[in-house]
Structure formats: structure tokens, C-alpha cells
Amino acid sequence: MSKRAFTPSRMVLPILVLLFACATTFAEKSVGQESVDASAKKPDTSERVKQLIAKMTLEEKLGQFTQMWGGIHQETNPETAEQKYADLAGQVRAGMIGSFLGIKTAERANEFQHVAVDESRLGIPLILANDVIHGFRTIFPIPLAETASFDPEAVRQSARISAIEAAAAGTHWTFAPMMDIGRDPRWGRVAEGAGEDPYLGSVMAKARIEGFQGDDLTARDTILACAKHFVAYGGAEGGRDYNAVDISQTTLHNVYLPPFKTAVESGVGSIMSAFNSLNGTPCTANQMILDDILRKRWAFDGFVVSDWSSTTEMVAHGTAADDADAARQALLAGIDMDMSSFSFRTHLAEAVSNGLIKETDVDRNVARVLEAKFRLGLFDRPYADPKEQKRLTLCKEHRAAARDVARKSIVLLNNEDQTLPIPKSVKSIAVIGPLATSKKDPMGTWAVFGEPDDVVTVEEGMKARAGNAIRVQHARGCGVLESDRSGFDEAKKIASESDYVVLVLGESEDLSGEAHCRSSLGLPGIQLELAKAIIELKKPTAVVLMAGRPLSVPWLAENADAMIMAWHLGVESGNAIADVLFGAYNPGGKMPMTTPRNVGQVPIYYAHENTGRPPTSERYTSKYIDVAWTPLYPFGYGKSYTTFEFANLALNQKQFDANDAVELSVDVSNTGQVAGDEVVQVYMRDMVTSITRPIRELKRFRRIHLKPGETQSVKFTIAANELGFYDNAGVYRLEPGKFKVWVGPDSNASLEADFEIAKNTAKVTTAAN
């Protein structure tokens, strides 16, 4: 293309106008003179792929494996941006690139796509990817927070809106959902996942995939999902990102693999390999997981992408001699697209020439990439509509949905003497803390295309909700990490002059996420000192905790009058938090991770195996001597402004065959004065097994809404075969004997019943996972 003029925010050039005006024409025409006609003879996708591969040179095949960074919008120098565009466009024209990540706008997406479709030899369209983790421009709560809603439909809606906005901007593919089980809150990427439980993680994975991919991937408002990181990335030693993972086969199959199996069963279009090594083998070249499990056992028919440069990082792992060796290993193990390392493009042609791999190996893998492009309809309609991006981005309907999901994600941790909601008698409120006026931090990690100016702060939300009837004042007090105490006096003065105090404390957005792991889990900096100074004033005080992980705050749990877990809730943070604080919305979220009392308790999670000496007050039992053995807040925990009662747990029978369904019901009553949501949680345990098993496991849950005085009979059905487990050989077993079931509001549920699996019907399934 000819020379252009660039500005940091947009490009203005005649040919671009022509491109947009002709977008429909481009979409309807053949994708290249020598390409397969996308509108003619379509016996099936596999045949079309075969026809296309037959026309491709080896170099063009390797180009389809290659994903490059295309975020030129981040370049502020117009000349540099022009140079980068020209270089990348030239590579696309030569068939050397099959995918970009980081392109922000429909205009830019169309430019690159035009080069691929109309100027490359075969006209193969690009697949354009982005990290659409919890929103595109309309930023929703971080995934861990959304999981706290225990509302799969809300999570599905969040992903659906994210897909609508991303697709309008030209994105075809998101690197989400992350479904790594996270049991160590030190690990920064717990913010991006669904917490510690494999069943909860599986349910949320299914909801997100359905939201992203919709019912028809060829539709303009759907995008391809990517289940990541395969596998056990959340088991990194010490909670340090990218670290080695060494786990048993039972832990792999029972804890880390189930969400990915659910993803495959839900039709996820792509998988991303993990950075970590698994039991000594880097996941990017781990044939056991990428081929034996993913392809052969689960029959996954999508494609696998490496994580950023994880292919060449195998050299640092010490399992590849050089980049060429790493590329060969990754391809043969099952990696189909190389993210950013360029090692496939650079080295695999020589590997074919030297006989280290066969060109049929290349054909097998490139077919998966091309099939995804056909599945997305890119050969028929490669272009985005810039008008749609403008119309759909951050529209009022999307903001309203973000506010609703944010409210559902808030967890009420403490509420002594009904400190919350804020009483109507209050006439003045002091909003104190370093995060109360922040616009960037509420977006959280991986808000890639979010804009801080879009965010409603806590102070803004409080003032909007309070109106003219209540005076709202703010004092920062201190920074998130700073040690400057000079703001304490102003904070104490404002608090003393007010009827009520809201303390907004926690983590800034850059304290969680990838490569942002912490060795401590308390409030960063001197925020706890600020909290103590304010709480000592004896004013009614509610603490708003904003963070990307559970925080160990035992002093606040003991001394604050009320406390909510407000996570990083996205663009509608302030409004959602104010809705909860003022009682316009009754919080019903639940903790998706166990909260430790201190970092020394880590790892701590509810579904642990028992020991021969379970913790008691006796000396020689499994516990620490300097802290309670219980967590600060258990998994599934969350209070409400009302109260609930569970009663009348009943099963349809007492003995079941392996092919039966366990049907249970429980009555849940709202015994308080206001309407509210409760999450009904069902836990089970096989009481005697051939290997040690968790003391209880979540099997079902449902969020329900009850009016004051209302009782609902909640029913669940669980196939008996779901009650088995994988043994040390990776064999699935449903063993006979006694089972116990508990139902209640959290993982400490106490309403229980017993049943049995009959001896003559229990079974063993030899295929692992």
C-alpha cells in the first residue's frame, strides 16, 4: 500500500476511506485469485482445507503458524508507526503471518485483513486475537470476582457482551477463559481464574465459552474462545508465576484437568499451552497432555497455541538445545500456532529439509489453524464494520449489565450490629483511603482496552447515591504502597466530623495479575495503620476491600464494624459498591477461594485430604501452634443483609446403582426482613475409598432469590457416576459404599444425609479423563 499519514489516535488517508466504503465488496468477493472459492462447492470444511493446503508452499504453511504483535496503536511516533505497519504488511503480503494479537480498532483490523485477502498469493485471511479477559472497552469485574457471584448466567452475559464489543473491533479470537485452578493466593493470576474448586471452575468455564462463542461462530458478534493454560499452571511452586509444577496423577486428573475437559465438551475452539513444566516436561512440548489426553482421549478438534514465547523458553527450561530444537518439539507435541517467538517460521523449514520432521507433520497442524478460520467464517466475511464498533462500544446497555454483574460479585464478609446498609439517619459520610478516588485500579488486571476515564470511582458512586441529602467528604490518608503518613491527620479530622466512615483499602491493579505475585497477603503499605487510626475513633465504619485476590486481614475482620470484598469490579465499580453500601442491593456473593488468616497457612483450601491425625485441640494433631487451623473465611462464604435457614434435606432413595441419578431437595427460607439472594451449595464425600479423598467436594450450587418470609424447595439431580474419582493410574473409579451429602450456605454446611452406592453396580472406567 502507498505511504500514509499516522496520528497516535487515528489515521487519515484516502485509500482507507476507500477500504471502508468497499468493505462489503471485499467480504463478498473471492479471497484471492489462487485461493479456494469460499462461496462455491463447500462439501465440508476438511475438504476445503485439503484443497487449500495443496496450493500452499512450505513457507506459507509456516506463516500460518506465526502470530505476531500488531498493537501499533501503542506507538506514539507516527513515523515509527508507519515503519512498523509497512514491515508487518509486507510480511502479511508474503504469507509469513497467520495471526496478529493486539489490534485495537476495526479500521486497523481491516487494513491488515485487506492485505492478507487481496494482496497475498492465496488470500488466506488473518485470525486476529486479543486478551479480552473481562471486557473489551466495557470492563466487567475480574474473573475471580465474577466467579464470586456463583451466577453462571451473569458470567455468560459478561462474556457475551465482551464478545460483541471485541468482534465489532475486528477481534476474532480471545485468550480467555483462564481456567487454571488456583489454591495459592500468592499467585497473581488467581485474579484471572475461577478460584480453587474444579467443579465451580468447570461451570464458569462453560458459561464463559458459551458467552464468547455463542451459537454460531460465523455470526458477526461471536469470537473464538481459548481455554488456558493447559495445564496445572495454577499449581506453580511457591505461588510464583511461571514456576515448575510437580503434582501427582490423582491431583492432575481430579483437580486441574476437569475444567479443561468441560471446555472441550462445551466446544471451545482453541487451547493455550501453559508456561510451566509439568512433572519435568514443559507443557509446550508435553505430548502426554497435548496429544494423549487432549486429542486422543478427549477428541479435541480445535487448535493449540503456545503462550507468549513459551516455545523458545524451553531452552531456558533445559529441555531443548536451541530454538530450532524447541520448535521441533513443540510442533510434534501438538502446538499449532507459535505466539510471538517466530521459531516455527524461522526453523521448521530446515527441520523438514533435514528430515527431523515431515511436511505431513506441518500439514496436520496447519490444517487445524485453517479449519478454525473457516469455522469463524473468515473466508466469507473477513472484515469488521467500524460503525458497529462505535455504536456498540461502552453503550448504556453494556454499562448497565456491568453494574449488575459487579453488584452480584460483592461479598459481605462482616456486618456487626447491622452497620450495613448505611442507616437512613446518617447525614455525613467520610470516604477515606487511597483507592476511593482511583479510576485505574478498579479495572483490575488485564483490562487491556479499558479506559480509566470510563470508571465510576467509589467516591463518585457514593456521591451519586447520596444526592444532596448526605454530605460526602474524601481524604486519601495514604497511598497503596507509600509510607507517607502525612495524610493521616486530615483523614482523622474528616472521619471525626462525619456520622459514618467508609474505608476503601486494598490492592492497586498492578499488585495482581501475571508476574505480580506476592509473598504476603495483608494490606499493602501502611493501609492497616490508617485503618487502625480511623477505627479507633469509634465511628460506625464499613471497610471496602478492593483486590485481585483474597486478603489476609484478621485485624479488620475482628475490629471493623462491617466489611465487603469488592475485588476489582470494572467500569461500574463505584455505582455497584454504593448500591450495596446504601442497601439498594443486598449482597449475595460468595468467596470462590479460601481466605487464609496469614500467609503461613498457604496452601489452604476446603477440599483437602484428611490425615491420620486431623486437627483438634490435642497436641499431636495436624495444625500450626501459632494460628487457628481454620481459615479466616471458608470457601463459599458470604453474608447477607437478611438471614436464611436450611431445612428438610431429602433424597429420593437411600441406595443407588451406578447408572442412577441422586435426586435431593432442601427447603431454604428467608427468615429476615429484606429480600435477598442465597447460594445453595451441595457437598459430598465418599466415606471409604481405595485412596485418600477430599473431606468434601462441591457437586452442585444454585443462586436463588427469596422475599422476606418466602420458602423455596430447591432440587438438584446428580448422576451417580459423577461421584467417582481418578486413581493413581489415571483410571476413573466409582467405588461402592457409604456417601455423605451436606447442604448449606458455604463449605462448612452442616445439614447432612447419607446414601450408598450398591456393591454390585460400582464400576471402573479405564480411560483416564
Side-chain angles (χ1 to χ4, degrees), residues 58 324 328 347-358:
L58 176 58
R328 178 190 63 82
H347 299 291
L348 290 184
E350 185 177 357
V352 171
S353 176
N354 293 337
L356 297 176
I357 61 173
K358 301 174 183 177

Side-chain angles (χ1 to χ4, degrees), residues 105-157:
T105 66
E107 290 90 344
R108 177 66 80 185
N110 286 346
E111 280 194 293
F112 277 120
Q113 201 69 283
H114 169 56
V115 175
V117 169
D118 287 324
E119 299 181 15
S120 70
R121 188 178 76 89
L122 291 177
I124 301 173
L126 299 161
I127 181 170
L128 304 178
N130 270 309
D131 287 291
V132 187
I133 308 301
H134 54 109
F136 188 77
R137 177 70 179 272
T138 303
I139 303 300
F140 282 76
I142 58 172
L144 186 64
E146 289 187 342
T147 303
S149 73
F150 276 69
D151 187 341
E153 188 51 45
V155 171
R156 186 179 293 106
Q157 181 188 37

Side-chain angles (χ1 to χ4, degrees), residues 54-75:
K55 295 176 179 288
M56 297 173 72
T57 65
L58 176 58
E59 288 70 22
E60 286 169 332
K61 295 171 186 177
L62 300 183
Q64 289 300 304
F65 290 149
T66 303
Q67 182 179 76
M68 294 189 69
W69 176 249
I72 302 174
H73 65 276
Q74 296 182 349
E75 179 57 61

Side-chain angles (χ1 to χ4, degrees), residues 474-541:
H474 169 255
R476 186 167 180 262
C478 65
V480 173
L481 290 171
E482 299 165 9
S483 58
D484 183 2
R485 296 170 178 79
S486 61
F488 278 27
D489 288 342
E490 181 192 10
K492 288 193 290 184
K493 179 178 181 295
I494 290 175
S496 299
E497 295 171 350
S498 301
D499 298 333
Y500 197 100
V501 177
V502 173
L503 271 172
V504 189
L505 310 170
E507 294 182 325
S508 52
E509 55 85 23
D510 57 352
L511 289 180
S512 63
E514 184 175 353
H516 287 79
C517 307
R518 295 183 59 196
S519 64
S520 63
L521 296 172
L523 285 173
I526 58 172
Q527 291 181 83
L528 183 58
E529 289 184 42
L530 174 65
K532 289 180 177 180
I534 299 302
I535 290 174
E536 285 174 359
L537 299 175
K538 303 299 182 182
K539 294 283 185 174
T541 302

